[in-house]
Amino acid sequence: MNLDNFADALCLPSPLEPFTPDWEGAEHVSMFVKRDDRIHPVISGNKWRKLKHAFNLTPPYTVDLDTGSGSGLSSVLYSQPSSVVSFGGGFSNHLHALGYLCNQLNIPFHAIIRGDYTKHPSPMIQDLVQWGTHIHYVNKVTYQQRDDPAYLTSLRIQFPDALIIPEGGSQVAALKGVQEVVNEIDIPFDHIIAPVASGATLAGLTSALSPTNTLLVSEC
């Protein structure tokens, strides 16, 4: 299975459903919930949004579509990475989603996990093991180097040609995916309310809004 095949099976665009709470004054406001939790049972919420374009960072190759007609048509396709490396804690939703995706795409995945859960693996880690993930437990000091250029260089030597995805999936490529949350909304709106953590969701939503829209955030 490749990424396009996997994406075809997802519930996209995610549903936009009316929300009618029994709060005082709620009848004066039209509210809707963007149900990104319905995208997929495992890779739901912002996880798919933040990961989908990361896999398109690998070098593209061109396929000749000219079958003798002289049209000269060609298509640029993206090859899948040889392996993937990422970071998280023992209960990381990001690692869980990424581990499942790599399993479905048959891509070796290396999860660098803060702390040693050898004796008591969390449910998330148990799933990763079932999906064939290579688990690498590191101490707190080593984990704190996850954004250090020298440490990342050592990982590239250890895992040649691997796609290294930052903790939480927070990367430039994630912004494009998160922007699609806004682009899928087909009704006029004034405000978006969203929880944020690492900041990638905040940045992606903000970059897709028009000057007349407002983003209200809550820290999760």
Side-chain angles (χ1 to χ4, degrees):
M1 179 183 293
N2 60 35
L3 191 66
D4 290 336
N5 297 141
F6 183 84
D8 287 343
L10 302 179
C11 179
L12 289 170
S14 61
L16 187 66
E17 300 179 353
F19 176 50
T20 53
D22 57 359
W23 307 334
E24 182 178 354
E27 67 274 11
H28 303 300
V29 181
S30 296
M31 289 181 278
F32 296 82
V33 177
K34 192 78 166 79
R35 295 293 304 274
D36 270 20
D37 60 307
R38 298 272 298 276
I39 291 177
H40 187 271
V42 178
I43 309 179
S44 62
N46 63 357
K47 302 311 174 191
W48 169 251
R49 307 282 190 185
K50 292 163 70 174
L51 290 173
K52 61 176 293 188
H53 293 291
F55 284 75
N56 287 343
L57 296 179
T58 51
Y61 60 94
T62 302
V63 175
D64 187 3
L65 301 181
D66 189 345
T67 58
S69 63
S71 64
L73 294 175
S74 63
S75 178
V76 175
L77 303 176
Y78 289 89
S79 58
Q80 294 185 165
S82 59
S83 62
V84 175
V85 177
S86 196
F87 314 86
F91 296 85
S92 168
N93 290 326
H94 160 68
L95 290 182
H96 193 251
L98 184 53
Y100 178 83
L101 181 59
C102 287
N103 172 264
Q104 294 298 299
L105 301 181
N106 198 29
I107 299 174
F109 176 45
H110 298 270
I112 299 177
I113 297 178
R114 180 185 64 249
D116 188 346
Y117 292 81
T118 304
K119 294 182 179 180
H120 304 286
S122 66
M124 186 278 292
I125 294 175
Q126 292 177 34
D127 281 346
L128 290 186
V129 171
Q130 182 179 347
W131 296 331
T133 298
H134 303 280
I135 305 293
H136 305 269
Y137 295 123
V138 297
N139 58 35
K140 182 178 180 180
V141 174
T142 301
Y143 190 82
Q144 288 176 338
Q145 301 177 47
R146 63 193 179 278
D147 297 319
D148 181 77
Y151 179 63
L152 293 175
T153 297
S154 70
L155 290 179
R156 292 188 180 98
I157 295 173
Q158 184 178 357
F159 308 108
D161 300 320
L163 172 63
I164 300 179
I165 298 179
E167 179 187 53
S170 297
Q171 58 194 309
V172 174
L175 304 186
K176 184 178 180 181
V178 176
Q179 289 169 357
E180 294 171 3
V181 175
V182 178
N183 297 337
E184 290 174 4
I185 300 175
D186 58 1
I187 61 172
F189 67 92
D190 299 307
H191 311 286
I192 287 183
I193 302 175
V196 298
S198 60
T201 300
L202 172 63
L205 292 175
T206 300
S207 62
L209 293 176
S210 71
T212 59
N213 302 139
T214 303
L215 176 62
L216 308 175
V217 301
S218 61
E219 189 172 340
C220 62

